[in-house]
Amino acid sequence: MLSTDPAGAERFRARRRRIADETPDEQVRELRQLAAEVRRTVVRMIDKAQLGHIGGDLSVTDILVTLFGRVLDVDPAQPRNPDRDRFILSKGHCAASLYATLAHCGYFPVSELSTFMAPLSALNGHPNRTKVPGVETNTGPLGHGFPVAVGCALAARLSGRSYRTYVVLGDGELQEGSNWEAAMTAAHYDLGSLTAIVDRNRLQQGAGTEETKRLEPLAEKWTSFGWEAREVDGHDHAGLLSALRPSPTGRPVAVIARTVKGKGVSFIEDRVEWHHKVPDDGQVRTALEELSR
Ligand SMILES: Cc1ncc(C[n+]2csc(CCOP(=O)(O)OP(=O)(O)O)c2C)c(N)n1
Ligand SMILES: [Mg+2]
């Protein structure tokens, strides 16, 4: 297990205190800066490892940064505090963006990120809860993280705890049937402490979601399963902050976050071939330059 980063955790707590006192515009500026940092870090990690899922990493970054930067009630110095909010990245192939977010939020030293996918590194291609502080459960096989998140939310009720559970799913991932069993179960138990966020970039591996197996009308699917569905621009931090609020109805909330796969790098955006392609040296330079604007 990687060691936690007490100094980083203190910086995280200080930033959270500062953000809480800021105007909404200032909060968004702060989250945007953190997202740019995470995206640049992801490009460097994938460049070093010569492996990774760059399209989905860049797509999900604003969602992760909004959650860890503002929404989740967590303390990176106490990653096993029983009252912490739970976060599960069900689309576990986007581990690089999760690791970069966790490290920049003080869960473990940023210097560890350079070991991403190296032999014996804790930072495997898919997240492992026994190796990385802040990882709640192992994911990678699509369709597994969401059912575990439903279990976490049910466990909160059974153990009398008030933590909330958030889970991020890929849109292609929704073609796995286990997700719909999980959705049905969450509604059956009225798990209002659960929020599922769909990274709706309309691409999966090799093709678009609608060509592979049609998901639309997606919001109506969630509603018909007993969830409150909300649609939002998944790169708009203010919109995400608003959409991530619990429902007053007590129903579980599905946030369909409209995103662009590869967001922030012109030649990667919305290109299916960049699901797990690795940029060459010139492309890395261009990507870092575009992500620094
Ligand atoms: C059960 C399972 N089948 C296949 C894969 C291989 N795989 C990894 S990512 C991916 C596509 C996922 O698409 P999506 O959920 O839309 O993710 P994103 O677009 O955000 O990268 C596939 C098929 C897997 N990880 N798990
Ligand atoms: Mg997708």
Side-chain angles (χ1 to χ4, degrees), residues 5-246:
D5 175 12
E10 183 45 43
R11 280 197 298 279
F12 172 85
R13 283 192 293 269
R15 185 167 62 211
R16 287 291 286 259
R17 282 195 296 274
R18 194 173 65 237
I19 288 181
D21 289 339
E22 286 175 345
T23 65
D25 282 355
E26 288 169 335
Q27 290 182 6
V28 165
R29 201 174 316 131
E30 188 114 17
L31 292 173
R32 208 178 290 142
Q33 280 169 9
L34 182 56
E37 186 65 49
V38 168
R39 284 194 169 92
R40 288 191 294 268
T41 306
V42 161
V43 170
R44 291 193 193 100
M45 288 163 70
I46 290 175
D47 179 35
K48 177 107 193 291
Q50 290 293 296
L51 286 166
H53 289 84
I54 198 162
D57 282 327
L58 297 175
S59 158
V60 79
T61 300
D62 295 301
I63 297 166
L64 295 179
V65 160
T66 304
L67 283 165
F68 281 92
R70 185 76 184 99
V71 174
L72 295 175
D73 185 6
V74 289
D75 176 359
Q78 300 183 65
R80 289 279 178 246
N81 181 335
D83 291 318
R84 71 194 181 281
D85 280 351
R86 301 322 195 245
F87 172 75
I88 293 176
L89 182 67
S90 198
K91 45 169 255 175
H93 58 286
C94 295
S97 51
L98 176 61
Y99 298 152
T101 304
L102 290 173
H104 285 297
C105 288
Y107 277 84
F108 57 85
V110 170
S111 58
E112 289 289 341
L113 294 172
S114 64
T115 72
F116 175 56
M117 289 187 81
L120 303 183
S121 170
L123 303 179
N124 302 342
H126 298 86
N128 186 319
R129 67 182 293 281
T130 66
K131 298 182 181 177
V132 188
V135 171
E136 290 291 343
T137 194
N138 297 18
T139 51
L142 298 167
H144 284 203
F146 183 29
V148 175
V150 172
C152 289
L154 192 53
R157 172 168 317 147
L158 295 173
S159 59
R161 295 190 186 276
S162 56
Y163 65 79
R164 295 191 54 78
T165 302
Y166 298 83
V167 55
V168 170
L169 297 130
D171 49 2
E173 178 178 11
L174 286 178
Q175 292 160 3
E176 296 285 350
S178 51
N179 293 306
W180 299 102
E181 295 178 40
M184 200 158 43
T185 305
H188 175 78
Y189 287 108
D190 297 313
L191 296 179
S193 68
L194 179 63
T195 300
I197 303 120
V198 179
D199 184 352
R200 182 71 173 116
N201 56 35
R202 305 187 78 91
L203 294 177
Q204 53 192 84
Q205 186 174 330
T209 56
E210 304 310 284
E211 303 158 48
T212 307
K213 198 185 286 176
R214 196 166 52 248
L215 294 175
E216 296 296 338
L218 188 54
E220 284 84 342
K221 282 190 174 62
W222 287 95
T223 310
S224 71
F225 271 68
W227 287 57
E228 182 172 320
R230 299 171 181 167
E231 294 188 72
V232 66
D233 174 345
H235 303 302
D236 169 8
H237 299 98
L240 282 166
L241 283 172
S242 167
L244 288 167
R245 291 209 184 91

